[in-house]
Each structure stands twice: as C-alpha cells, then as structure tokens.
Amino acid sequence: MTAGSDLPAGELSAWLLRMRAVLAGQGEADVPCGDCCACCATSHFVHIGPDEERTVAVIPRELLFPAPGLPAGNVLLGYDEQGRCPMLAADGRCSIYAARPLTCRTYDCRVFAAAGTAADNEVITRQARRWKFSHPAQDDCDRHAAVRAAARFVRERAECFPGGRAPRDPVSVALLAVKVYDVFLAPGAEAGAAGRPWSDLEVAKAIVEANDRFEVARAAAPASYGAVRQDEPDG
Ligand code: SF4
Ligand code: SF4
C-alpha cells in the first residue's frame, strides 16, 4: 500500500447498508486496513462493555480501569507513552485479534470519508481521506450527498437540537450522519410534509426522531456480534 495513494472504499450504497447494520449490532466492520494500524496507535481509549468477558480475560488487569460515568463493569483500555494500545504487537497486528473489543470490531474510518469530515486525529484523517467510494448508480450519489448534508447540518446547526442532543466529537457526528441521512433525501429536508422547506429546527427534530427510531430498532434486535467466533484467526 503506497502512503497517500487512493484506496477503493467500495460502492457507497453497499458500504452504507453494511455500516448501518454494524451500528445496529448486526455484524462487524470489514475495513481492508492493509498495513495501517492508525486507530490502534493514536492515543485512544478503548471501551469494553460488561458482557465482553472473553476480551477482558485476555487483557492484563492492570491495563484496564473503570470507565468514568458508566455503570460498574464498563472499563477502558488505555495506551502507552507513544499512544499505542498495549495490545498492539510490534509487527502492527492486534495481539488479541480474535478477542478484540467490540469497539475495535465496529470501527470503520471510512465513515469520515462518507461524511466528508475529519477524524479526531490527524493520522486517521489522512488515512480516511485516502478512501474513495464509487458511485455506479444515481442512488449512490444521492445517498452520499445526503450523508454529507447530515454531517454538515449536525456540525453547523448544533444550536437547533433540543436539549443539547447534537454530538460534538467527530466520530459521533459521522456515525449520526450515517444513521439519519435519509432525512436529507428528497423530499425530506427539501420540501417537508407541509410542501415548504423545513426550518432548521424542524430538520433537527427530524434528525432526533430518526436517530431514536434507529436506536429503538437496534435495541429490539439481538446483537449478532456479541458471540465472538472461536475459529476466528489471529492477526
Ligand atoms: S485507521 Fe482505518 S484503515 Fe487504519 S487501522 Fe483504523 S480502521 Fe483500519
Ligand atoms: S485491542 Fe487490538 S484492535 Fe483494539 S485498539 Fe488495541 S491493538 Fe487495536
């Protein structure tokens, strides 16, 4: 893989479908990372949930600490003085790949390429900007434009969201755009039910409602990535 060269991210609509499934708890991200390990080496805390017993079992206890603000059992895996996850081996591979946290299983830096936004880290932003989606059909173009419009709206109209529900961090903004982009598909925000363009407040309300519908559906469907495959290869 040549540093800085474009990387094929796949067809936009197909990626979007899969990413939404991952966010809904169905499956894992399938990023063709190649020799990149940027998100394992850029000073990120990795959340591990109380039901991830297999993951906790393979990480030395001294590397885990309680996650602030979350119920008991939620822990964080930190990073070393170089910003590297302590489970990252010298060869750039995850030493606990088969039992890696769900946070790692669901991370896909292509979300920033889809949303047209920067990541929370310059190295990941550079990697994300290498991804190029293909748009073989008009539908791919329309959905991509809608995801970008959603991300732009969330970033630029945060004051319109009731109760401060607009996320601020780059990951959450991009993921929210993936979950609610259909608000920005025509007629959606363009026309609205009343046949006139929605106000920013109405768009924000529609985003909140779309996100709530997504989360209700996610909660109603048993997650399918919780059971880690025992035959999953390392590395
Ligand atoms: S930054 Fe992207 S390509 Fe690099 S390891 Fe993370 S998910 Fe893979
Ligand atoms: S647990 Fe593995 S995949 Fe997750 S950040 Fe650490 S090295 Fe990367």
Side-chain angles (χ1 to χ4, degrees):
M1 184 183 296
T2 305
S5 59
D6 288 353
L7 298 170
E11 295 180 5
L12 188 282
S13 293
W15 175 85
L16 195 52
L17 196 63
R18 180 168 182 131
M19 191 68 218
R20 285 171 61 86
V22 169
L23 293 177
Q26 308 301 315
E28 301 174 0
D30 64 341
V31 194
C33 300
D35 56 6
C36 178
C37 60
C39 53
C40 306
T42 43
S43 307
H44 285 100
F45 292 104
V46 177
H47 169 257
I48 302 170
D51 57 344
E52 297 186 69
E53 297 95 349
R54 186 170 180 233
T55 299
V56 169
V58 297
I59 299 175
R61 295 298 298 175
E62 64 271 21
L63 297 178
L64 300 172
F65 58 92
L70 293 177
N74 288 278
V75 295
L76 295 180
L77 171 64
Y79 46 87
D80 66 16
E81 51 283 355
Q82 276 84 48
R84 293 168 62 93
C85 172
M87 309 316 295
L88 185 62
D91 65 359
R93 290 172 170 251
C94 176
S95 62
I96 57 165
Y97 188 82
R100 66 197 187 284
L102 290 182
T103 299
C104 308
R105 293 172 180 273
T106 56
Y107 187 85
D108 187 336
C109 68
R110 290 174 294 185
V111 73
F112 301 111
T117 56
D120 57 354
N121 175 278
E122 182 59 32
V123 180
I124 297 177
T125 296
R126 276 203 302 274
Q127 176 69 5
R129 287 186 175 149
R130 297 174 65 193
W131 296 115
K132 303 298 176 204
F133 286 102
S134 61
H135 306 84
Q138 184 61 41
D139 184 64
D140 295 288
C141 298
D142 294 344
R143 290 178 195 276
H144 202 167
V147 174
R148 289 178 174 231
R152 192 163 52 246
F153 184 91
V154 172
R155 282 187 302 145
E156 295 178 358
R157 296 288 184 271
E159 75 281 3
C160 296
F161 287 79
R165 288 184 67 179
R168 304 283 181 163
D169 70 280
V171 175
S172 298
V173 169
L175 294 180
L176 178 59
V178 166
K179 289 194 287 182
V180 307
Y181 76 93
D182 56 349
V183 169
F184 291 83
L185 286 174
E190 294 299 320
R196 57 163 174 78
W198 283 351
S199 68
D200 286 350
L201 287 177
E202 288 171 318
V203 174
K205 181 168 177 282
I207 288 174
V208 170
E209 290 172 351
N211 185 56
D212 288 347
R213 285 195 299 275
F214 191 99
E215 291 302 323
V216 166
R218 184 183 63 78
S224 68
Y225 52 35
V228 178
R229 297 199 314 271
Q230 297 296 320
D231 61 346
E232 192 169 13
D234 283 339

